[in-house]
Amino acid sequence: MYRKEEQPLPPPEKFELPFEGKLSPNNRWVIMAELIPWYEQQQSMWENKTQSVPQRIVSLTQPHIRPIVRGKAGKPIDFGAKLSVSCVDNYVFLYKISWENFNESCHLKEQVEKYKETFGYYPESVHVDKIYRTRENRNWCKERGIRTVVRS
């Protein structure tokens, strides 16, 4: 049996095309290889015979995005930032943005208090995911006359 010796992959700028052609330094993939380490990621996965690497890049156009394991039925992984916003008179106010995985239910009181600090009164209602509807959050909102609406 013949076993081919594995050779490391050349970097994109040294990738050879037929008839002794080379990729242009202006090629978008060559430029992107210099901006983000996606090639190094693939090289590491190839050399180590693995399907994962630390700080895995999941989006070439947004390399800062990381998968967030949520454990939801039918959608166990989300991509993108978690946001906390208020919408008042068709204006949206951003209170919190995070690319990290965290349990957002513990931030409800803080976010509602920031709303009160900004506008001088508590909101009439808060529209939240089921994760926010803890007994403590429901009681806290009820004491302040805030209706909680769970979106599906």
Side-chain angles (χ1 to χ4, degrees), residues 82 100-108 131-132 134 137:
K82 289 186 175 188
E100 303 299 322
N101 193 8
F102 64 92
N103 184 333
E104 58 267 29
S105 70
C106 60
H107 295 282
L108 178 73
I131 195 166
Y132 282 92
T134 64
N137 283 347

Side-chain angles (χ1 to χ4, degrees), residues 9-121:
L9 297 173
E13 65 275 5
K14 298 210 187 295
F15 186 78
E16 293 184 14
L17 300 171
F19 309 110
E20 299 181 21
K22 299 251 184 220
L23 287 177
S24 165
N26 297 326
N27 178 288
R28 65 184 174 144
W29 296 107
V30 173
I31 293 169
M32 199 174 296
E34 293 178 18
L35 296 176
I36 57 175
W38 68 271
Y39 180 82
E40 293 168 16
Q41 168 187 303
Q42 297 300 315
Q43 181 74 31
S44 173
M45 290 169 61
W46 172 262
E47 290 171 354
N48 297 312
K49 308 278 188 274
T50 183
Q51 293 186 4
S52 65
V53 292
Q55 296 300 315
R56 180 177 68 219
I57 296 170
V58 295
S59 171
L60 291 177
T61 59
Q62 296 176 310
H64 55 280
I65 291 178
R66 297 288 175 259
I68 298 174
V69 178
R70 297 291 304 254
K72 292 180 180 178
K75 191 175 179 188
I77 298 176
D78 284 338
F79 292 91
K82 289 186 175 188
L83 304 174
S84 173
V85 299
S86 293
C87 184
V88 179
D89 296 330
N90 294 321
Y91 289 98
V92 177
F93 298 87
L94 177 64
Y95 288 113
K96 184 174 181 72
I97 182 170
S98 176
W99 296 93
E100 303 299 322
N101 193 8
F102 64 92
N103 184 333
E104 58 267 29
S105 70
C106 60
H107 295 282
L108 178 73
K109 296 175 192 174
E110 171 190 341
Q111 294 159 9
V112 172
E113 289 296 343
K114 285 182 181 179
Y115 179 98
K116 183 181 181 194
E117 182 180 311
T118 302
F119 299 103
Y121 56 88

Side-chain angles (χ1 to χ4, degrees), residues 121-140:
Y121 56 88
Y122 287 116
E124 179 183 314
S125 63
V126 292
H127 299 249
V128 296
D129 286 338
K130 289 179 184 176
I131 195 166
Y132 282 92
R133 290 214 16 117
T134 64
R135 179 178 293 133
E136 183 179 347
N137 283 347
R138 286 192 321 262
N139 289 339
W140 188 86

